[in-house]
Amino acid sequence: MDIQSMDKEYIAGTYNRFPITIVSGKGSLVYDETGKEYVDMGSGIGVTSFGIADEAWQQAIIHQIGQVQHMSNLYYTQPCAQLAKLLCEKTGMKKVFFSNSGAEANECAIKAARKYACDKYGPQRHLIVTLKNSFHGRTLTTLAATGQDHYHELFQPLTPGFLSVDAGDLETIRYLATQGKIAGVLMECIQGEGGVLPVSREFAQGLAELCAKEDILLMVDEVQTGNGRTGALYAYMNYGLKPDVVSTAKGLAGGLPLGATLLGEKAEKVLGFGDHGSTFGGNPVSCAAAVSILSRLDDALLAQVREKGDWLKEAFSGAPGIEAVTGMGLMLGLKTTKPAAQVVKDCMEQGVLCLTAKDKVRLLPALNIPWEQLQRAAQVIKAACAAPNQAV
Ligand SMILES: *Cc1c(COP(=O)(O)O)cnc(C)c1O
């Protein structure tokens, strides 16, 4: 049985895969089973931060796998402690909880906000406010946090105590805050799955002021925007925010599963012994991989991300068939005249892998994608957007 039929036969039908089987890659180039080459402008949905099979990343993993591949959280291990120190030093946050995915990183943030508010104000203060059109994960609780009804319909009842408001609607949040109902606000600075939509600076700053005044935890979901993606180490830094809690995952370990929830001054002591845990969380191999990634996200690399992002924006702005370009750094959305899915399909045929997000073509290339490959991909994408729509 060939791979695609085997997959269809035995894997739950939750994914609508493209008809190619990827067998290998190097950096921002990947190869399918026929040997066809693609420039990877999706990096596994913003995961392979330094591309496929990056040398330094591989060495970090191989070294750690030869030392110890897993230990329970009953014992100390070096990579986990070293990564937590790096994350705190680079952000000014105080403590880290490690998990395995973005959804789990958000679960931890939500638990921290609930407990912070309950300890201080009592259990009636438990509401978590999120934004409409957001995406926070697929567990029942992070689905409740996700402000898109179509994700909810089939799985009722979801975890109670969540409310989503329009991005920009500070007044509703202010009203609920003065009623003493809100434990925390969770938001993405740039909604990724929602269509690469940045929140406005005024809203973000107004929200931060309100949260500080009312002692509400400001929690930023940096699962997609984090770890250099937007040209800042974390996207909240572009907004001059000082969040109380930050969740991240996707690109953190460059392609191994790892989630992290960073707790600032207010929340650093909220989670105590027995309050939370994870068998795989803080896995030494994942953490060693993340140390390799994070220690290379320096000013020079971030400047490169901004430069490449600006170049792409410039290349796409006003191009035929492209109506708007949104996003920051190497997290970009293209509003195209043709359906985004059609553009992505055409690009794939021409050897470029792109993503969609709602009605946008979404680009999340590796942070170190070589200029030549970036330019080649941009040319293919522009041509696909400009070409007349083919009847299917
Ligand atoms: C991908 C994503 C998640 C969920 O991450 P998983 O690792 O799939 O659980 C949560 N929030 C945001 C903003 C994301 O982009």
Side-chain angles (χ1 to χ4, degrees):
M1 211 187 252
D2 71 86
I3 291 165
Q4 294 181 17
S5 338
M6 206 190 321
D7 184 301
K8 287 199 182 92
E9 175 93 15
Y10 294 109
I11 291 186
T14 60
Y15 304 110
N16 186 16
R17 302 196 205 276
F18 291 104
I20 60 174
T21 303
I22 302 296
V23 292
S24 66
K26 191 71 196 163
S28 288
L29 297 175
V30 296
Y31 302 91
D32 72 11
E33 60 187 343
T34 69
K36 180 170 171 181
E37 180 180 275
Y38 302 85
V39 179
D40 182 9
M41 292 294 281
S43 61
I45 318 191
V47 168
T48 49
S49 306
F50 283 84
I52 308 289
D54 172 74
E55 288 298 330
W57 177 86
Q58 273 193 65
Q59 284 314 311
I61 291 170
I62 290 165
H63 172 76
Q64 186 55 44
I65 258 178
Q67 296 289 310
V68 55
Q69 82 277 29
H70 172 81
M71 254 301 135
S72 79
N73 279 305
L74 296 171
Y75 309 99
Y76 295 98
T77 56
Q78 193 254 346
C80 175
Q82 195 189 347
L83 177 60
K85 177 170 183 280
L86 254 180
L87 283 166
C88 289
E89 283 172 356
K90 283 176 173 275
T91 59
M93 302 297 277
K94 300 294 180 195
K95 294 273 196 291
V96 183
F97 179 86
F98 288 118
S99 52
N100 313 288
S101 65
E104 286 172 283
N106 284 332
E107 289 265 351
C108 175
I110 292 162
K111 283 177 83 169
R114 286 262 167 92
K115 183 155 184 296
Y116 177 81
C118 185
D119 285 352
K120 230 168 146 177
Y121 302 100
Q124 79 291 344
R125 182 150 158 166
H126 62 245
L127 189 67
I128 306 292
V129 172
T130 65
L131 301 185
K132 290 232 156 68
N133 198 46
S134 58
F135 183 82
H136 297 296
R138 300 285 199 155
T139 63
L140 286 172
T141 295
T142 55
L143 273 184
T146 292
Q148 303 189 52
D149 290 340
H150 71 96
Y151 283 110
H152 298 172
E153 280 150 16
L154 304 173
F155 305 105
Q156 297 292 327
L158 302 177
T159 308
F162 288 82
L163 179 77
S164 59
V165 306
D166 287 323
D169 183 6
L170 199 54
E171 285 323 302
T172 300
I173 306 176
R174 195 186 308 281
Y175 171 76
L176 292 164
T178 53
Q179 305 276 304
K181 290 192 170 143
I182 307 179
V185 177
L186 175 65
M187 70 159 187
E188 299 154 272
C189 287
I190 304 175
Q191 295 184 332
E193 304 303 311
V196 196
L197 301 171
V199 299
S200 79
R201 194 163 283 274
E202 301 73 52
F203 173 69
Q205 283 169 357
L207 180 62
E209 272 168 41
L210 177 67
C211 287
K213 179 162 164 281
E214 300 288 342
D215 197 20
I216 291 165
L217 292 191
L218 176 63
M219 305 188 284
V220 180
D221 179 341
E222 296 268 3
V223 173
Q224 189 161 154
T225 52
N227 313 301
R229 177 55 52 195
T230 69
L233 186 59
Y234 291 97
Y236 73 79
M237 295 169 176
N238 293 318
Y239 286 82
L241 301 180
K242 201 171 173 293
D244 300 303
V245 179
V246 174
S247 57
T248 190
K250 287 195 167 85
L252 176 61
L256 289 185
L258 184 63
T261 309
L262 282 54
L263 305 166
E265 242 157 63
K266 270 192 184 179
E268 71 168 307
K269 297 205 173 72
V270 172
L271 297 176
F273 171 65
D275 289 340
H276 201 32
S278 166
T279 297
F280 283 115
N283 170 272
V285 181
S286 294
C287 287
V291 167
S292 160
I293 298 290
L294 209 61
S295 57
R296 284 185 282 162
L297 295 179
D298 56 11
D299 289 342
L301 190 281
L302 295 175
Q304 278 275 308
V305 171
R306 292 193 298 272
E307 197 187 333
K308 286 172 182 164
D310 290 346
W311 182 84
L312 279 176
K313 268 194 171 172
E314 179 86 29
F316 291 134
S317 296
I322 299 178
E323 294 165 12
V325 188
T326 58
M328 293 178 195
L330 289 174
M331 176 172 182
L332 296 176
L334 309 179
K335 173 91 187 71
T336 54
T337 309
K338 278 206 257 183
Q342 183 67 49
V343 173
V344 169
K345 186 169 169 282
D346 293 349
C347 287
M348 198 175 74
E349 274 156 23
Q350 298 303 314
V352 174
L353 301 181
C354 306
L355 304 165
T356 58
K358 286 275 177 71
D359 62 338
K360 302 270 181 58
V361 173
R362 176 173 41 157
L363 306 176
L364 302 169
L367 305 180
N368 65 345
I369 182 170
W371 275 105
E372 179 275 318
Q373 290 161 25
L374 192 71
Q375 285 160 350
R376 193 184 344 152
Q379 231 166 32
V380 168
I381 295 164
K382 273 167 87 168
C385 292
N389 208 351
Q390 277 162 10
V392 247

